[in-house]
Amino acid sequence: MPADCPSAMYSPMMGFLYVFNLIVGTGALALPKAFQGAGYALSIVVLFFSAFISYIAATFVVESLSIGNAVSARKCKEQTRQQQSRQFDDVVITEESPSSFEINEKIEVGRMASMFLGRAGVILTYLALSIYLFGDLAIYSTTVPKSLMNVICAPVNTSNVMPMDPCRKNWPLFFHRFTVYRLCIILFVIVVTPMVIIGIQKTKYLQLATTICRWTAFTLMIVLAVAQIITSGPSGTPPAANIHGFGSLFGVTVYAFMCHHSLPALVTPMKTKSLLFFKLSGVFLLVLAFYFTLSITGSFAFSHVQDVYTLNFLHDDNTSVFYFICDHFLALFPVFTCTTNYPILATTLINNIRVLRDTILPPGSRLSSEEESLLEDDDVDEHDSRLRSSSRTIQRYDIIIPVVVIGVPTVTALLTDNVLLLATITGSYPGVAVQFLIPCSLVLYARKHTKNELKMPVPKKHASPFTSNFWPYAIVVWSFFAIIMVTLNVAGVKF
């Protein structure tokens, strides 16, 4: 539905609630594990710094969106005047209301890249988005089966769980935990594949149900962890700092604050956009406080935090009916949320790959009707043959792309159940590109376009609070430094 359609509009509070829900997702479940591994002092610093950098990048996306609206408005004015065959001068865009910089049209990140970054920028943008979504789907394909496996198999209260450990005592020996995990992967793929094929979308009621489950689950995790600390004392003793945990921590924090590629779709339908950057900072501060609470309570409540944090509550020693219900609800919480989100992400990835394919290998230009009428019989036969061949190629791509989109994450999940590793890699490499590098590139070139083409600076109302070009370049430097550190950590380099 178009963003400018009245029925698609919503209040700023609802819009920022959507942003909060978008940020707080699967990444939060891996955060306590990374927090405990890196140490509480280092984790607090890195988490705060990541939130700050992520917020800056988010303001860059919003500013680029405003400039994109100005460019689109100017283009529409020029087209209208040309159609009316009027003599006109260059369009002058002012800050007067209604400003051309007002965000009235939804312009996705890919379209902004085509406006400001050129063909190479579009290719790199869609490539980064696609790789990130592959990682996202791989995490989903691992989290859901791992949660199901831990519900099916006997609970364990140790960190030394081996893949070949028996699932349950009286079961056949070949039904070890990793076998059950792989069977759950197959079941998960069987369930989500039809949903991807039919292109299921998240309806209002599904969005509401997901939101209620998310808030209930995270509130329960915090309350139960605090209760365990109060009644039994801290079980975990994380160090103040462990530099060897920086890689996992950085990757997971980037993954946990990811929202930038979806901001245009969430910001545009807001009825009013006054104090947009200030209110957005409030969302990031709320998420930061939430992550601090979740991670600190989790890292001290449990001696060994699982990479899917909800599983820690399934493995505790409480046996009352209340705890049984809460524990199994938390263990199955990722199953519901990831299963409903998977088809939407997969459909988005399929569309991104198609755009990437058409950008790299543009479809051949079709002959006009006049040219076709001049073709001789032999030429017509040859032309029809080419069209049929092209049609068959498109049909093959329409089959291959969904198979690859579902197959690659599935194979990845079959090879490993390490959610923390997948979140680290996804956040540290394609995540850095999507969250940091693309917004910085967009805002730098968008500002340049505004100065050279629109002949005026970005109005203060629509400009990021971080107007100096120092900030984009500083974020790029930080990104490459962090990627190097992550790579060294993943490679096991000791220093």
Side-chain angles (χ1 to χ4, degrees), residues 49 52-54 56-57 60 250 432 436-437 440-441 443-444 447 466 468-482:
F49 196 66
F52 179 62
I53 298 297
S54 182
I56 295 175
F60 289 165
F250 172 76
V432 164
F436 298 149
L437 301 183
C440 290
S441 301
V443 79
L444 286 173
R447 289 171 179 173
F466 307 92
S468 172
N469 285 342
F470 162 80
W471 293 103
Y473 289 115
I475 292 176
V476 171
V477 171
W478 159 252
S479 300
F480 282 106
F481 166 76

Side-chain angles (χ1 to χ4, degrees), residues 26-70:
T26 313
L29 299 180
L31 198 55
K33 170 74 172 178
F35 197 96
Q36 189 181 61
Y40 60 88
L42 178 61
S43 297
I44 289 174
V45 173
V46 173
L47 190 59
F48 178 83
F49 196 66
S50 293
F52 179 62
I53 298 297
S54 182
Y55 168 69
I56 295 175
T59 65
F60 289 165
V61 174
V62 176
E63 180 179 339
S64 301
L65 178 60
S66 296
I67 298 173
N69 271 260

Side-chain angles (χ1 to χ4, degrees), residues 262-437:
S262 299
L263 275 179
L266 297 179
V267 170
T268 304
M270 293 183 187
K271 292 179 181 178
T272 60
K273 302 176 181 69
S274 59
L275 301 176
L276 184 61
F277 296 111
F278 175 75
K279 294 174 182 176
L280 188 61
S281 68
V283 174
F284 273 84
L285 286 174
L286 182 61
V287 173
L288 179 63
F290 181 78
Y291 282 168
F292 274 145
T293 307
L294 183 73
S295 301
I296 291 174
T297 55
S299 60
F300 282 94
F302 301 98
S303 59
H304 175 77
V305 178
Q306 303 286 341
D307 55 0
V308 181
Y309 181 48
T310 51
L311 299 179
N312 277 95
F313 300 92
L314 184 65
H315 296 166
D316 64 20
D317 297 325
N318 299 296
T319 56
S320 68
V321 175
F322 171 76
Y323 278 109
F324 178 84
I325 294 174
C326 290
D327 294 349
H328 283 78
F329 167 75
L330 291 175
L332 294 174
F333 159 69
V335 176
F336 171 70
T337 55
C338 292
T339 303
T340 55
N341 285 335
Y342 187 100
I344 301 169
L345 292 179
T347 302
T348 303
L349 178 55
I350 290 171
N351 294 332
N352 285 352
I353 294 177
R354 286 172 177 165
V355 172
L356 188 61
R357 175 200 64 190
D358 294 339
T359 305
I360 297 175
L361 300 172
S365 58
R366 296 183 178 180
L367 296 174
S368 66
S369 58
E370 291 182 358
E371 291 173 323
E372 289 179 355
S373 64
L374 297 176
L375 290 174
E376 297 179 358
D377 291 341
D378 293 341
D379 294 332
V380 170
D381 292 339
E382 183 180 352
H383 176 61
D384 290 342
S385 177
R386 289 201 305 269
L387 287 178
R388 286 194 296 270
S389 176
S390 176
S391 177
R392 285 194 296 270
T393 301
I394 293 174
Q395 290 175 356
R396 284 197 296 269
Y397 274 123
D398 288 339
I399 296 173
I400 292 173
I401 292 176
V403 170
V404 172
V405 165
I406 297 175
V408 171
T410 301
V411 171
T412 304
L414 288 170
L415 295 176
T416 181
D417 65 345
N418 192 333
V419 176
L420 181 63
L421 176 63
L422 294 176
T424 300
I425 294 174
T426 302
S428 300
Y429 298 103
V432 164
V434 173
Q435 188 171 134
F436 298 149
L437 301 183

Side-chain angles (χ1 to χ4, degrees), residues 157-278:
N157 289 288
T158 175
S159 61
N160 299 319
V161 181
M162 302 302 293
M164 297 304 168
D165 287 349
C167 182
R168 289 189 178 272
K169 288 184 179 180
N170 298 326
W171 285 26
L173 294 178
F174 60 85
F175 271 110
H176 43 70
R177 299 181 72 88
F178 205 68
T179 299
V180 175
Y181 164 73
R182 285 177 168 170
L183 291 175
C184 290
I185 293 175
I186 296 173
L187 176 63
F188 177 67
V189 172
I190 292 173
V191 171
V192 298
T193 298
M195 300 166 70
V196 174
I197 293 173
I198 64 176
I200 189 172
Q201 297 295 320
K202 181 172 282 191
T203 64
K204 178 177 67 175
Y205 300 105
L206 189 59
Q207 173 87 7
L208 180 62
T210 304
T211 301
I212 293 173
C213 283
R214 180 183 287 110
W215 280 88
T216 303
F218 282 111
T219 302
L220 269 176
M221 283 186 278
I222 293 173
V223 170
L224 292 177
V226 170
Q228 185 161 320
I229 293 174
I230 293 174
T231 56
S232 305
S235 298
T237 54
N242 176 19
I243 192 63
H244 299 295
F246 174 83
S248 296
L249 179 65
F250 172 76
V252 172
T253 54
V254 171
Y255 185 66
F257 280 103
M258 184 64 69
C259 66
H260 302 67
H261 56 299
S262 299
L263 275 179
L266 297 179
V267 170
T268 304
M270 293 183 187
K271 292 179 181 178
T272 60
K273 302 176 181 69
S274 59
L275 301 176
L276 184 61
F277 296 111
F278 175 75

Side-chain angles (χ1 to χ4, degrees), residues 34-196:
F35 197 96
Q36 189 181 61
Y40 60 88
L42 178 61
S43 297
I44 289 174
V45 173
V46 173
L47 190 59
F48 178 83
F49 196 66
S50 293
F52 179 62
I53 298 297
S54 182
Y55 168 69
I56 295 175
T59 65
F60 289 165
V61 174
V62 176
E63 180 179 339
S64 301
L65 178 60
S66 296
I67 298 173
N69 271 260
V71 173
S72 180
R74 174 175 178 152
K75 185 177 180 181
C76 288
K77 290 178 182 178
E78 291 178 348
Q79 289 176 346
T80 301
R81 293 184 182 184
Q82 287 176 354
Q83 290 173 358
Q84 295 175 349
S85 300
R86 294 178 180 176
Q87 188 71 26
F88 64 97
D89 299 325
D90 288 341
V91 177
V92 178
I93 301 175
T94 66
E95 197 176 351
E96 297 178 359
S97 181
S99 170
S100 295
F101 286 88
E102 290 289 346
I103 301 174
N104 297 316
E105 179 184 356
K106 183 179 72 173
I107 302 176
E108 299 289 359
V109 171
R111 187 179 166 197
M112 283 191 275
S114 66
M115 285 180 170
F116 306 124
L117 303 181
R119 182 171 179 268
V122 172
I123 293 174
L124 293 176
T125 297
Y126 276 101
L127 186 62
L129 287 169
S130 298
I131 296 174
Y132 172 78
L133 288 175
F134 268 119
D136 220 359
L137 292 177
I139 292 171
Y140 282 24
S141 299
T142 305
T143 302
V144 172
K146 189 168 186 175
S147 299
L148 288 173
M149 179 269 289
N150 278 274
V151 171
I152 295 171
C153 295
V156 293
N157 289 288
T158 175
S159 61
N160 299 319
V161 181
M162 302 302 293
M164 297 304 168
D165 287 349
C167 182
R168 289 189 178 272
K169 288 184 179 180
N170 298 326
W171 285 26
L173 294 178
F174 60 85
F175 271 110
H176 43 70
R177 299 181 72 88
F178 205 68
T179 299
V180 175
Y181 164 73
R182 285 177 168 170
L183 291 175
C184 290
I185 293 175
I186 296 173
L187 176 63
F188 177 67
V189 172
I190 292 173
V191 171
V192 298
T193 298
M195 300 166 70
V196 174

